[in-house]
Structure formats: C-alpha cells, structure tokens
Amino acid sequence: MHMSCRVIQHREADIYTVLHFGADPSGQKDSSKAFEEALDKSPYKVIVPPGRYLIENTVEVNRKHLFLEAGVTIENNDRIQMNSPLFWIHGIHSIIEGENKSVKIKSNSISATSVIKIGHDDARDVRRNILYCEVKNLTIEGSGRGTKLSGIHFYNSQEKGDEMTTSYFHSIHNLIIQRVNIGIHMERFSNGNSISNIIFNRVGAPESGCAIWFDGATENRVYDFFHHHSANALSVKFTRNKDKTPSYNILQAGICEQGGDDARCVEMEAGAHNIIDINCNVLKGNMLPKDFQKRKNIILTKPRN
C-alpha cells in the first residue's frame, strides 16, 4: 500500500516577523512599537530575525509566541531609565523562545525591577487567569548595576478564594541568567511553576540579592540549576509575603558554588513543607530557623564545609 505525505508550505505573507512592522535590526532606533504591532496583528507566532533591537517601552506578550532566532539581542537604552520590564507576559499560552542561548534579552536600566515579568501587574490587577506561559532557550541579562533588578519576576494577585485572577503553571527552561541582583523572584501566590536547567552567573549582591527567591510562593518545582561566579551571594531565600508563606516547594539537583567566604546556600525566614535537595559547596552553608523541621521542612543534603 502506497502512503503519501502532504507537505504544507507557508507563503511568505503568512510568516510574521517584526521587520514587516518596521523593527530596526541595527539597534539605531526604538523598535518597541514594531514589536507591539507584530504581536497584536499576528495570528500567533512572531519571528525576530538576527540583529540588535532597541526597546524603550515594555512589550506585552498576550496569547502569542515570540520566537527569537540565533544572533538576536534585545535591550533598552541605558540613557532611558525604564522602571518597567522589557517584556511582560500576561496571556494564557504565551511564549518567549530563543533558538539557542546566544539570544539575549538585556536590561541596561539601573531603576528597573525585572527584565521579564510573568503574571499580573500588581495587587490591583483583576484580569482573568494567566496560565501555561513559557520562557526558554535564551540569556537574560542585567547591567550589573541595579539593586532591584530580577531576571524573571512572577506575580500572582490572587487573593484567598479568588479564582478569577490566578497565574499558575508557567515553565521556565534552559536559561542563562546573569548580572542581576535576583535571578528568579516568585512573589505572592505564585503557584505551580516548573523551573529547570538554569545557570545563574554573577547573580546576587552580597547584602541583598539571591539566585531564587520564594517570596510567599507555593508548590513550585526548581531543578537542575547552577549558581556560580557570584562571590558572597545567597543562592535561595524563603520569606513570607504578607499572609502568604512559602510552602510545598521542591528544589532538586542544584549546585551552590558561588565563591567567597560569606556565600550561603539557603536562608529561610519563613516556610513550611518545603523539600530541599541541593549540593551546597560554600563556606557558610545554610541559615535555617530552629523550627525548620517542626514546620515539616526537609533538607536532604548538607553543606560541604
């Protein structure tokens, strides 16, 4: 029996790139509007061809797939102090994907709070569910100067009993995050996220930053990460965020090897039912509360002092 395969070819007019909407791959002029129009008018997927693109306003990704080809760098102008992220993902099934980790999204602003934000804007945001978003296969970078800057910031404005403003089940995979003060910040009721294969490089100032911050977050899975070249920094922090206590989070197959006499692995101010199974190759080890085990937290590996 003869079987034939049908090959579907896309016409050039069917393929949306940011160049069709006036983006400048030389980085000489602001391409924010071109990115916004491409994402607004495309059926779903938008391609960013190789080049350097200047972004001076936050680009919103809402129910779209932004694909960055190898050789793409997207950054803001260090003369314009953006307080907002370069990209804000706030629509179900939205994706920012690089072809490989040569792709770079960089914030040069010292006043910005994040490079990429996923979820709601703030506690007043009442938009509906934001689910199943992805960021993968690229490098996220800061200027190394900002004290507030996080690589990825999750925010969930859901209040107890409110099922209309959830932000759940996002996937973060295969990234380099570097030269930021906080690598990944999961704030408020950030829930059910899967984070894997992350290299944190020069992340976390000695007195204030960290690679991963569970800031009230619950039921997240973080595995296969490596924190290095970040002298005297903290790797993982657990804190209460108002009425939200970090709980039921799992960390596995992580390596804390940031260097420096004052480097720490895990610092827990609040938390319950968390499981931590990572290699701690730093001098000061973990800073755990006396009631760590009483609150049903489990740590499976000990520091290598």
Side-chain angles (χ1 to χ4, degrees):
M1 182 174 64
H2 176 70
M3 300 289 291
S4 63
C5 296
R6 182 187 177 195
V7 178
I8 299 175
Q9 295 183 333
H10 293 282
R11 295 178 297 119
E12 184 177 352
D14 295 329
I15 301 173
Y16 283 73
T17 82
V18 293
L19 300 183
H20 292 144
F21 297 88
D24 176 16
S26 72
Q28 297 300 305
K29 65 178 184 179
D30 179 21
S31 293
S32 304
K33 186 176 180 180
F35 273 71
E36 291 168 357
E37 288 186 358
L39 288 163
D40 180 55
K41 295 178 181 179
S42 71
Y44 180 60
K45 189 172 185 178
V46 174
I47 294 174
V48 183
R52 176 179 176 266
Y53 298 87
L54 190 65
I55 297 294
E56 295 183 357
N57 295 290
T58 297
V59 174
E60 299 183 15
V61 183
N62 185 354
R63 297 174 181 257
K64 297 295 170 69
H65 180 179
L66 186 66
F67 183 81
L68 288 60
E69 294 184 337
V72 167
T73 294
I74 300 173
E75 61 184 326
N76 57 6
N77 193 324
D78 60 3
R79 297 188 300 273
I80 297 176
Q81 294 306 314
M82 288 179 63
N83 296 319
S84 55
L86 267 70
F87 289 95
W88 176 26
I89 301 173
H90 62 78
I92 189 170
H93 294 295
S94 297
I95 301 172
I96 297 178
E97 178 183 5
E99 185 173 350
N100 59 46
K101 286 184 283 192
S102 72
V103 170
K104 183 181 291 186
I105 299 177
K106 181 180 180 182
S107 175
N108 294 303
S109 174
I110 62 172
S111 59
T113 55
S114 61
V115 182
I116 297 176
K117 185 170 185 176
I118 303 175
H120 303 107
D121 190 12
D122 55 32
R124 299 165 296 180
D125 191 341
V126 295
R127 73 190 68 226
R128 296 176 67 89
N129 295 345
I130 303 168
L131 307 171
Y132 312 119
C133 299
E134 299 179 55
V135 178
K136 55 188 177 182
N137 305 334
L138 49 84
T139 294
I140 295 172
E141 183 172 326
S143 66
R145 297 177 296 154
T147 58
K148 300 177 181 179
L149 187 65
S150 60
I152 296 181
H153 179 200
F154 295 88
Y155 192 93
N156 187 341
S157 66
Q158 179 187 14
E159 296 297 333
K160 189 176 295 185
D162 183 355
E163 298 181 356
M164 301 304 290
T165 58
T166 60
S167 180
Y168 292 166
F169 313 134
H170 307 306
S171 176
I172 308 301
H173 176 68
N174 198 34
L175 303 180
I176 297 173
I177 299 178
Q178 58 191 18
R179 298 176 62 81
V180 296
N181 197 36
I182 301 163
I184 297 175
H185 182 188
M186 289 173 277
E187 186 178 3
R188 295 286 292 160
F189 203 64
S190 298
N191 180 270
N193 301 302
S194 177
I195 299 167
S196 63
N197 195 13
I198 312 294
I199 297 174
F200 297 100
N201 178 37
R202 291 177 172 84
V203 171
E207 301 299 326
S208 59
C210 62
I212 304 165
W213 185 5
F214 294 95
D215 187 14
T218 63
E219 297 176 341
N220 298 285
R221 306 293 180 266
V222 182
Y223 54 96
D224 292 340
F225 68 90
F226 187 19
H227 186 197
H228 71 139
H229 288 171
S230 308
N232 299 315
L234 171 66
S235 287
V236 183
K237 179 165 63 174
F238 291 83
T239 59
R240 178 187 295 272
N241 187 309
K242 297 181 181 178
D243 59 328
K244 302 293 187 294
T245 297
S247 57
Y248 297 100
N249 298 292
I250 297 178
L251 291 92
Q252 290 180 301
I255 299 174
C256 306
E257 203 170 78
Q258 54 269 45
D261 293 344
D262 293 321
R264 293 95 67 212
C265 288
V266 178
E267 183 177 288
M268 180 175 285
E269 298 175 14
H273 301 277
N274 298 290
I275 299 175
I276 303 165
D277 183 6
I278 58 179
N279 289 332
C280 183
N281 299 333
V282 298
L283 289 176
K284 288 209 168 176
N286 301 311
M287 301 178 68
L288 307 176
K290 292 181 179 179
D291 61 348
F292 178 84
Q293 291 182 321
K294 184 178 180 181
R295 286 189 274 158
K296 307 300 182 183
N297 295 297
I298 298 173
I299 191 159
L300 300 177
T301 55
K302 296 181 179 179
R304 296 178 181 179
N305 294 331

